[in-house]
Amino acid sequence: MTTFVDRVTLFASAGKGGDGCVSVKREKFKPLGGPDGGNGGRGGDVILLVDPNVTTLLDFHHSPHRKAVSGRAGYGDRKDGPSGEDIVLKVPNGTVVMDADGTQIADLVGNGTIFVAAQGGRGGLGNLALSSAKRRAPGFALLGEPGEDRTLILELKSVADIALVGYPSAGKSSLIAAISAARPKIADYPFTTLVPNLGVVQAGETRFTVADVPGLIPGASQGKGLGLEFLRHVERCVALVHVLDCGTRETDRDPVHDLEIIEHELSEYGGLDDRPRIIALNKIDLPDGEAMADMVAQSLRDRGYEVYPVSADLQSSLTQWHD
Ligand SMILES: Nc1nc2c(ncn2[C@@H]2O[C@H](COP(=O)(O)OP(=O)(O)O)[C@@H](O)[C@H]2O)c(=O)[nH]1
Ligand SMILES: [Mg+2]
């Protein structure tokens, strides 16, 4: 079974605060020394941090329970207990945080963005801090507060300027590999890609990011295949590139029909009408591919699309180059 990993549940337990200490100063010949019990240490927080090197939420899928360290109890001789250490969990850029009901509480965009998923408990006051003019030597201290325990849903909505959409095996991952330094998995079976690949493209002075949106098939908007899970990655992009397979051997498919199917899924998902579309007619290194691209390019341009015939497969196009 395929496991979809860019939506995970995180059980975050912050550290408990340490208890305050009850202690009385002991000095020779002074049986009634003052109180000197220190405070308990603060419990550690569970913190989410956007890290550019993290691209999936896979780690949380494997270990969803994360716990920070508790604060230590205070000591005598006016010493406070040490605080518990925070744990910092690295998450991908574009991680959306929701509570257990699915209500969004944070949207973590931008490297270095921080979110406290669960706050550590405060340490309890020791009897030194509790002493006052009226109560010079309290015989008690306060307990540390419990740390927050939260169940959160994390969902990744990729942050990319351009989203590549298209049928499985149309060549989206290949195109990312061809135009950026990203090295995604490429294979001639569908659903190779289960999380979007992100690539950074440098074109002259312009730098932009591209995401490969996998899993779009007819009926995706009704939940077929991996359904709409993937379409949320398109939400943040400024433009869409349709990667259309001009070399498919499947008889019930052609680039124009594929385009209509994908557009239908996009419109069912909604909210994407305002994004400009560009078309890449892919696999023109194949003889049939080139013929097909020639055949459909003009009619797509007539519909108002910007159309580019391409070959995303470096190996194939290089071979052709040398022929
Ligand atoms: N001949 C040829 N094959 C391609 C081209 N682009 C992709 N492919 C092949 O098509 C298959 C699917 O490619 P992939 O990039 O994984 O498609 P994705 O599912 O859209 O990401 C792989 O076997 C690729 O090598 C191309 O321009 N020309
Ligand atoms: Mg792919």
Side-chain angles (χ1 to χ4, degrees):
M1 211 199 90
T2 44
T3 346
F4 191 67
V5 290
D6 60 4
R7 184 188 169 97
V8 293
T9 305
L10 166 67
F11 304 96
S13 309
K16 177 185 171 304
D19 297 337
C21 168
V22 182
S23 169
V24 175
K25 199 166 177 176
R26 286 181 197 282
E27 273 178 319
K28 259 186 188 170
F29 314 118
K30 269 201 184 172
L32 287 179
D36 71 352
N39 304 326
R42 193 185 63 83
D45 297 336
V46 179
I47 293 172
L48 305 182
L49 167 71
V50 174
D51 184 301
N53 299 315
V54 177
T55 52
T56 79
L57 295 166
L58 189 65
D59 276 357
F60 298 101
H61 183 73
H62 296 311
S63 37
H65 293 270
R66 303 300 179 100
K67 207 172 163 67
V69 178
S70 292
R72 304 279 291 275
Y75 305 97
D77 205 17
R78 301 175 168 244
K79 280 209 253 338
D80 292 340
S83 296
E85 242 177 87
D86 297 334
I87 51 166
V88 177
L89 307 174
K90 293 175 180 172
V91 296
N93 191 17
T95 299
V96 177
V97 184
M98 289 168 289
D99 64 16
D101 309 327
T103 308
Q104 181 172 325
I105 46 183
D107 187 5
L108 310 181
V109 175
N111 296 331
T113 304
I114 274 180
F115 174 75
V116 178
Q119 184 126 45
R122 283 190 301 184
L125 295 178
N127 69 339
L128 170 64
L130 292 169
S131 63
S132 62
K134 277 192 183 158
R135 199 171 54 201
R136 285 173 187 281
F140 58 90
L142 298 184
L143 295 175
E145 290 176 357
E148 256 186 318
D149 249 327
R150 283 171 97 188
T151 302
L152 297 170
I153 298 168
L154 306 183
E155 194 177 88
L156 178 58
K157 276 188 188 178
S158 300
V159 179
D161 302 312
I162 307 293
L164 303 182
V165 294
Y167 264 67
S169 297
K172 301 177 293 298
S173 298
S174 303
L175 192 55
I176 289 231
I179 60 180
S180 76
R183 287 294 165 261
K185 232 194 214 172
I186 293 166
D188 59 359
Y189 52 89
F191 300 113
T192 315
T193 312
L194 289 178
V195 287
N197 299 298
L198 279 180
V200 179
V201 181
Q202 185 80 44
E205 296 286 282
T206 315
R207 202 179 157 91
F208 58 93
T209 50
V210 180
D212 149 351
V213 180
L216 268 183
I217 53 165
S221 59
Q222 272 87 55
K224 245 193 170 172
L226 288 164
L228 294 174
E229 297 284 335
F230 290 112
L231 271 172
R232 64 170 173 265
H233 295 291
V234 184
E235 278 180 34
R236 301 192 206 256
C237 74
V238 288
L240 295 171
V241 173
H242 280 284
V243 180
L244 301 179
D245 187 345
C246 293
T248 180
R249 297 244 159 83
E250 291 173 43
T251 47
D252 57 342
R253 286 182 48 196
D254 70 74
V256 176
H257 185 238
D258 286 2
L259 171 76
E260 285 165 355
I261 297 278
I262 298 291
E263 277 295 341
H264 175 73
E265 298 306 323
L266 295 173
S267 75
E268 289 289 300
Y269 186 75
L272 299 167
D273 291 352
D274 58 339
R275 291 335 128 77
R277 267 82 160 155
I278 294 169
I279 290 181
L281 291 172
N282 192 29
K283 308 199 185 179
I284 57 163
D285 55 282
L286 302 171
D288 292 351
E290 191 172 18
M292 179 61 95
D294 285 346
M295 211 161 82
V296 297
Q298 196 51 49
S299 75
L300 292 171
R301 289 192 177 108
D302 292 344
R303 292 188 192 196
Y305 289 105
E306 229 179 277
V307 178
Y308 297 92
V310 300
S311 171
D313 190 280
L314 291 175
Q315 221 55 47
S316 310
S317 34
L318 285 178
T319 326
Q320 197 193 35
W321 194 259
H322 289 294
D323 277 350

